[in-house]
Amino acid sequence: MSADFDYVDWLVGSSAKKNEHAYVKAMRLDPCAYCAQPSKHIDHIVPRSRRGGDGSLNLTPACQSCSSSKGTRSLLAFLGRKRAKAEAESWAAVA
């Protein structure tokens, strides 16, 4: 069993409902919520460092790149930076 699945088991804990546990595990099969690439991680939408919880409503699938790029940023800060970077790259391609 991989470390990611062990982490998911730890996140939902033994007192969680079985359907929530299954939901979080099934989430790993979904594409990255930020870029639609295959996901291998479960990301906290509101980072734990910003008092985000471990409940399924605060978790989303993420690829390695997006998960590490987001870091401890808020969702809006991350998406704003991602959009600004994409716009800068498109302007560089035109120039």
Side-chain angles (χ1 to χ4, degrees), residues 5-78:
F5 279 104
D6 293 338
Y7 181 66
V8 170
D9 290 339
W10 175 81
L11 281 176
V12 297
S14 61
S15 64
K17 295 177 186 175
K18 287 184 180 182
N19 60 348
E20 183 175 9
H21 189 219
Y23 171 75
V24 172
K25 281 194 170 188
M27 191 186 304
R28 290 181 37 81
L29 303 175
D30 290 339
C32 175
Y34 308 123
C35 72
Q37 295 296 316
S39 66
K40 293 191 177 202
H41 297 273
I42 301 293
D43 187 53
H44 288 83
I45 298 167
V46 177
R48 292 185 347 192
S49 63
R50 294 178 180 253
R51 298 184 179 211
D54 291 330
S56 61
L57 294 178
N58 191 41
L59 301 175
T60 191
C63 67
Q64 172 65 40
S65 177
C66 288
S67 181
S68 61
S69 294
K70 182 174 174 279
T72 60
R73 290 183 189 88
S74 70
L75 178 61
L76 291 177
F78 170 68

